[in-house]
Amino acid sequence: MLGYALRRLLGSLPTLLAIVTLAFFMMRLAPGGPFTLDRSLPPAIEKNLLAAYRLDQPLWRQYLDYLAGLLRGDLGPSFKYQDFTVAELIATGFPASLKVGGLALLVAVFVGVGLGTLAALRRNGRLDHAVMALAMVGIAVPNFVMAPILALLFGVHLAWLPVGGWGDGGLRNLVLPVTALALPQIAYIARLTRGAMIEELHRDHVRTARAKGLGERIVVVRHTLRGGLLPVVSYLGPATAGLVTGSVVIETIFAIPGIGRYFVQGALNRDYTLVMGVVIFYAVLIILLNLLVDLLYCVLDPKVKHD
Amino acid sequence: MAWSRLGRGLGGIALAAGLLLGAGGPATAERVLRIANMGEPQSLDPHKVAGTWENRIVGDMFVGLATEAADGSTIPGAAEFWTVSDDGLTYTFGLREHRWADGTPVTAEDFVYALRRILDPKRAAKYAFILYPIAGAKAFNKGEQSDPAKLAVRAIDLRTLEIRLENPTPFFIDQLTHYTAFPVPRHLVEAKGEDWVKPGTIVGNGPYTVVEWVPNGRITAVKNPLFWDAANVAIDKVVYYPDEERAAVLKRFRAGEIDLATDFPSDQIDWLKANLAGETRISPYLGVYYYPVNNARPPFSDRRVREALSMAIDREAITDKVLKTGEVPAYSFVPPGTGNYGQPAEVAWKALPMKERLEKAKALLAEAGFGPAKPLKVTLKYNTSENHKKVAIAVAAMWKQLGVETELLNSEVKVHYNQLEENDFDVARAGWIADYDDPENFLSLLATTTGKQNYGRYSNPEFDRLLDQAARTADLAKRADVLRRAEAIALADAATIPIYHYVSKNLVSRKVRGWVPNTKDIHRTRWLSLAD
């Protein structure tokens, strides 16, 4: 299995290079640069700035320089937040992002699996229809619509929770962003679980278990859930990617000082190095989590062998 | 509902105050000022910053040779006194005996070092051009001349500094209050390199020292007991919050979590006037909101077309009905109240009633070949913002009365200003806030040599000549006259369309004392205090 993991990691290097290359050149296609301000600079000053950040070099040379920096583990300085390096900014932003994203993932898995299982057991019942209808809404409504609705309802009208901000990252500040981020994933996971559970419940070994006279709870938990969870586990990879991209929106709407917000600010400020740093960080994160999911899969399903 | 929120907010403050007291050790009430600063600083290095929100923090840490009084006027700072030679070119400063916050004496060498540092082209300081009046500064900053000794700044002794200028520059002392002219602690910068700005390391010669920076969270500064006027500094600690979301800041202000907000949501003005009238502070600000017109692109290269577009805009309707926050209708490019100037020149048709202005404008357009059969088509570009949009829509409606067909085009701020610099527009939205209190700072935007910053590429040799003449005139009254003549030419040419002069918008809690409205909108914390 270790050999498999190593092979996968090596295989992801070209993917990473492609992402870095694409992001680098796409970023440069946007009009304006890091030093285009709402008040323009005299030409002499602009020349000094471009030279100081080596932006006066040909693009291919800047690209090679950036790659060389990456190999040394250097993400470069931020153009905008000049007292910080990109690595420092990511390090200060990640804990907040991890807290929101991690909690959202946990909530999504537990609530999603729970609802999906219930729906499967009450197939075609009222509960099943309600859950599936909700799931359709959850999938259809994007989180940049859901988040302001939640903020408006619970923050402004009911005034139960803060509209935004982070404070010290306490529960009050977490509820709305985590909910907004988890909702679409809950919906997806509930649908997946329901489908898989329904299929599992009709398998021979479940019929045998029932025939032995086992209680329904044991039948479900011990004999069905494991198989029913497999598609959910394989969905965790895409789910993480969804949470990561969702966090870009959610962190901006709720003013959370995470890396998602840096990504948006970085793009608007043309802070090339900051955007590149966050893209690389996200890419590595997603690649690693996908690998983890595949390894987990082979633990859950003995039929899958990676060697 | 509002009450319950307020109640919880107060509870939160009581809790926070309790925590602060707990952390502060002895239970003497620490006086903390909490500012909503409307922006995350790029840096704490005075040689790297460029924004008003950064100036608020950096200017609490450092004091230049001259500084701002509570009312924004220029008073002696690190220099106790200065003398100017008869030709207006040589300034000699006598430094106050004072220390950096780490106890090291501040010397004239620190100023020489700082000026050489910011003008070093390798540092690429964005605002170095403010110092170009100093002899040799421009050549040094452009890299044409690399010997720092040629920069006309020298320490005569430990506490005497001499600066020689290229031309007599009446606003030079005023410029020295700007952060570009702040001293930096040479001993620290040389020992720590770029890390000298890290909170905990950085020291200034001013009333406060930044001790904590949580990116996108807050910056905390504490009183510097070594500051020369520390006995008169009332506030012990300043917390600057970077929050930019105006509506959210207003909520925090109402909840008592913020004492001073440096902007407020304009669309809330009616509510603010009704409910927080005493705390809503609006005052004239040295800035102009204007529409550059592309002088290089037909048909806008035709003066008659530009003037017609300018005349048709009912500025009072925009300030009174659209914006409603006290902005001043602009009939000049330089804001009224700008220093060293007196009354600015104004457009000739200011006094005409709107109806006559429209008639005249129509006639001008007809002369230029536009009418019902061949309507003038204008693309009006603005950077995305609710207010810019409202103004643009109003202007398009006013132009429609002339039969002009206007297409509105908005884009994100970087894209917008890129198009302005590249001269890719018909008419567009722009704004200019003064760097220093002098008409030259506005009028030089329209000089031919200004290049990209002269968005509309206005060019008139007579205007350029008058600006040059003003630069060589030491007598303030004569200089003001020359500049006024230049402004009158630019207005007669309808070089740009000035729309309104900015106001500063602050929310100031009743607790805050010593806050004086001023045209620079600069309120150094050292002059403020908190009522119990």
Side-chain angles (χ1 to χ4, degrees), chain B residues 293-295 297-302 305-306 309 377-378 426-427:
Chain B
V293 190
N294 197 338
N295 284 246
R297 178 187 286 183
F300 309 99
S301 48
D302 186 331
V305 172
R306 298 196 300 267
L309 291 178
K377 291 193 170 79
V378 181
D426 297 342
V427 181

Side-chain angles (χ1 to χ4, degrees), chain A residues 31-42 44-46 48-49 52 79-84 88 92 156-157 159 257 261-262 265 268-270, chain B residues 1 5 8 40-44 48 121 124-129 132 141-142 197-198 213 215-216 412 414-415 417-418 421 432-433 435 452-453 455:
Chain A
F35 306 114
T36 312
L37 300 176
D38 53 355
R39 45 189 323 163
S40 7
L41 299 165
I45 301 280
E46 195 179 0
N48 287 343
L49 270 169
F79 288 169
K80 174 85 183 175
Y81 305 106
Q82 301 193 0
D83 291 359
F84 299 90
E88 281 173 326
T92 54
V156 178
H157 290 303
R261 187 141 160 251
Y262 282 132
Q265 287 175 344
L268 292 177
N269 291 329
R270 309 287 189 272
Chain B
M1 201 158 65
R5 247 186 291 173
R8 268 206 325 281
E40 176 80 352
Q42 296 200 18
S43 173
L44 296 179
K48 284 185 180 170
K126 286 190 196 103
Y127 260 41
F129 64 90
Y132 284 180
N141 188 238
K142 281 179 125 173
V197 288
K198 297 280 179 195
W213 181 349
N216 270 322
E412 174 241 319
K414 294 255 176 191
V415 177
Y417 278 94
N418 187 251
E421 290 182 359
W432 187 262
I433 306 289
D435 298 311
K452 287 204 299 190
Q453 267 180 311
Y455 301 129

Side-chain angles (χ1 to χ4, degrees), chain B residues 116-296:
Chain B
R116 285 181 182 175
R117 181 174 184 263
I118 189 171
L119 285 165
D120 183 345
K122 284 200 282 302
R123 286 217 70 75
K126 286 190 196 103
Y127 260 41
F129 64 90
I130 300 271
L131 299 166
Y132 284 180
I134 298 174
K138 193 169 182 178
F140 182 60
N141 188 238
K142 281 179 125 173
E144 293 163 2
Q145 197 285 105
S146 57
D147 179 10
K150 294 263 170 65
L151 187 67
V153 179
R154 66 190 181 105
I156 293 176
D157 60 42
L158 275 181
R159 283 168 50 204
T160 312
L161 180 75
E162 185 194 88
I163 300 180
R164 227 162 17 78
L165 305 185
E166 203 84 50
N167 287 305
T169 311
F171 49 87
F172 182 62
I173 289 291
D174 195 49
Q175 283 185 324
L176 293 179
T177 63
H178 196 262
Y179 45 82
T180 43
F182 286 173
V184 295
R186 178 178 186 171
H187 62 284
L188 199 62
V189 181
E190 286 184 340
K192 304 275 182 176
E194 293 298 306
D195 280 343
W196 80 277
V197 288
K198 297 280 179 195
T201 304
I202 190 167
V203 295
N205 66 332
Y208 293 91
T209 308
V210 168
V211 291
E212 179 202 39
W213 181 349
V214 182
N216 270 322
R218 64 171 181 268
I219 287 180
T220 312
V222 296
K223 184 174 162 179
N224 166 17
L226 293 182
F227 178 57
W228 72 77
D229 199 22
N232 292 315
V233 175
I235 286 167
D236 301 310
K237 188 176 187 174
V238 198
V239 185
Y240 313 87
Y241 294 102
D243 306 33
E244 282 179 73
E245 192 51 56
R246 269 89 178 142
V249 166
L250 175 57
K251 284 199 197 83
R252 295 188 69 184
F253 182 82
R254 287 171 64 192
E257 296 171 30
I258 299 281
D259 304 308
L260 208 64
T262 56
D263 199 1
F264 55 73
S266 298
D267 56 358
Q268 295 292 313
I269 186 63
D270 294 328
W271 186 90
L272 283 168
K273 280 179 176 163
N275 297 286
L276 287 179
E279 281 140 303
T280 306
R281 308 294 286 264
I282 297 173
S283 51
Y285 190 39
L286 294 181
V288 60
Y289 184 108
Y290 70 105
Y291 280 177
V293 190
N294 197 338
N295 284 246

Side-chain angles (χ1 to χ4, degrees), chain A residues 85-96 259 262 281:
Chain A
T85 63
V86 169
E88 281 173 326
L89 287 175
I90 291 178
T92 54
F94 188 55
I259 41 182
Y262 282 132
F281 184 79

Side-chain angles (χ1 to χ4, degrees), chain B residues 21 72-73 113 121 149 153-154 187 189 245 263 318 321 341 344 350 371 376 381 402 414 422 436 438 481 514:
Chain B
L21 284 180
S73 62
Y113 177 74
V153 179
R154 66 190 181 105
H187 62 284
V189 181
E245 192 51 56
D263 199 1
I318 289 174
K321 299 211 177 77
Y341 201 38
K350 179 188 175 186
L376 175 66
K381 292 184 174 177
L402 303 181
K414 294 255 176 191
E422 299 305 322
Y436 44 90
D438 191 273
D481 261 349

Side-chain angles (χ1 to χ4, degrees), chain A residues 3 12 20 46 83 103 119 122 125 139 150 161 173 183 207 224 256 263 283 305:
Chain A
S12 62
V20 170
E46 195 179 0
D83 291 359
L103 275 174
R122 309 264 187 283
I139 292 169
L150 288 176
L161 293 163
N173 293 95
L183 273 179
R207 198 177 52 204
T224 326
I256 293 167
F263 184 70
K305 284 273 185 289

Side-chain angles (χ1 to χ4, degrees), chain A residues 10-26:
Chain A
L10 272 179
S12 62
L13 283 180
T15 315
L16 209 52
L17 182 70
I19 291 171
V20 170
T21 310
L22 258 170
F24 184 92
F25 288 101
M26 279 175 66

